[in-house]
Amino acid sequence: MGLIYFLIVFIATTAGAVAGVGGGVIIKPALDAIGQYDVETIGILASSAVFSMAVVATIRQWIRGLSIDIKILMLSIGSIVGGILGKELLYSLTGSIESEIVKLIQAIIIIVLMIMI
């Protein structure tokens, strides 16, 4: 099972690096589909993988001579705020709605967003 997780994270982070699509967009639905972990655990696994990818990308940019673009900085801050708000919304929904329904809604929204991108 560990090999499957490794492959999911590897493919997701590679797609994230190549296409600019966040690895978490791929990791969370894929791990949800396997169905072995709850939403909170999947969130931690996806966040850890995406954080590791971000650290490596930042180090690479630092070595190349990091320059800060204000538009990118604002987008990053918006992503952080959106992630925090999304997490809180997810926790509040899983407390009031059945977890499987929340997972289904989340997967549908992610699929629609991926199609739009």
Side-chain angles (χ1 to χ4, degrees):
M1 206 48 140
L3 180 60
I4 292 173
Y5 296 135
F6 173 78
L7 289 174
I8 289 170
V9 171
F10 180 75
I11 291 168
T13 53
T14 301
V18 171
V21 177
V25 174
I26 299 168
I27 296 170
K28 287 187 79 145
L31 293 180
D32 273 339
I34 293 173
Q36 188 172 1
Y37 293 112
D38 59 20
V39 174
E40 292 81 15
T41 304
I42 291 171
I44 290 170
L45 292 171
S47 297
S48 299
V50 172
F51 180 72
S52 300
M53 184 176 66
V55 168
V56 170
T58 302
I59 290 170
R60 285 179 49 203
Q61 289 298 325
W62 187 279
I63 291 170
R64 291 181 183 164
L66 181 68
S67 64
I68 298 174
D69 181 0
I70 192 71
K71 290 178 186 177
I72 300 288
L73 180 63
M74 295 305 292
L75 181 64
S76 300
I77 292 170
S79 296
I80 292 168
V81 171
I84 292 168
L85 293 175
K87 179 188 75 161
E88 293 302 320
L89 178 63
L90 179 65
Y91 287 152
S92 66
L93 285 176
T94 54
S96 61
I97 301 174
E98 187 178 326
S99 180
E100 294 301 316
I101 294 173
V102 174
K103 285 182 185 180
L104 177 64
I105 293 169
Q106 181 185 29
I108 291 169
I109 290 171
I110 290 173
I111 289 168
V112 169
L113 288 173
M114 290 298 293
I115 290 170
M116 289 172 56
I117 290 173

